[in-house]
Amino acid sequence: MKECNETLFWLRLLRNVNDIDEKQFQSIFNDGEEIKRMLISIIKTKRNNMNKS
């Protein structure tokens, strides 16, 4: 999760200094956000399962 957040940070930075264009940024950033949502779901499910045990 930390690495995902860090990657999204660096992507924003690259966009802000114009190293990547908006189309590239949106494509990669959207994928990163989707991965982040999946990780959050996995973490929540794991925690719930651990609490039930």
Side-chain angles (χ1 to χ4, degrees):
M1 187 69 182
K2 289 179 185 180
E3 287 81 4
C4 185
N5 285 327
E6 184 177 350
T7 299
L8 295 174
F9 167 82
W10 286 110
L11 283 170
R12 286 186 205 97
L13 184 64
L14 287 170
R15 180 192 57 187
N16 290 341
V17 297
N18 296 321
D19 267 4
I20 59 173
D21 63 38
E22 189 63 28
K23 185 177 178 181
Q24 288 174 315
F25 170 78
Q26 284 300 323
S27 175
I28 299 168
F29 190 82
N30 290 341
D31 290 343
E33 284 290 321
E34 181 64 26
I35 291 168
K36 184 177 175 178
R37 285 190 290 277
M38 288 189 286
L39 289 171
I40 290 169
S41 177
I42 290 167
I43 291 166
K44 285 181 180 180
T45 300
K46 183 67 175 169
R47 285 183 181 159
N48 285 338
N49 288 342
M50 288 176 68
N51 289 337
K52 291 179 182 178
S53 298

